[in-house]
Amino acid sequence: MRQTCETYHHQAGTCKMGVDAMSVVDPRLQVYGIEGLRVADASIMPTVTSGNTNAPSIMIGEKAADLIRGIDGLHTGA
C-alpha cells in the first residue's frame, strides 16, 4: 500500500494569508520576516475553496504580477 498511495487533494492553505499571528503571508503576498519573498499559489488561501483550486490560483498569480509591477486595484488592460 505504501508504494501505491498518493494524495488526490489539492494542497492549499499551508501558508495562510492574513494579518493575524497565524498568518505567513501579508495581503501583498509578502512572507512575514523574509524580505523580497512572495508566495503566489493556492497555499495562501486562508480557507480552501469548495471547488477546484485552478481558477483561484490563476487569480492569485495575476494579482501577484500586478503587485510586483506596482499596479493596485482593478484595471482593464487598456
Side-chain angles (χ1 to χ4, degrees):
M1 182 178 241
R2 287 184 184 167
Q3 294 174 345
T4 60
C5 288
E6 61 185 65
T7 181
Y8 263 10
H9 303 309
H10 299 288
Q11 302 305 314
T14 57
C15 292
K16 179 184 172 194
M17 177 178 63
V19 293
D20 62 337
M22 295 297 294
S23 298
V24 176
V25 178
D26 71 15
R28 297 189 57 79
L29 308 179
Q30 297 170 318
V31 176
Y32 286 113
I34 303 178
E35 187 176 338
L37 180 63
R38 294 181 193 258
V39 175
D41 61 20
S43 65
I44 69 161
M45 296 178 189
T47 57
V48 181
T49 62
S50 61
N52 193 295
T53 57
N54 184 48
S57 296
I58 291 169
M59 184 276 311
I60 292 167
E62 292 288 333
K63 182 63 178 178
D66 287 349
L67 291 169
I68 291 167
R69 293 184 317 194
I71 300 170
D72 283 326
L74 297 173
H75 63 281
T76 61

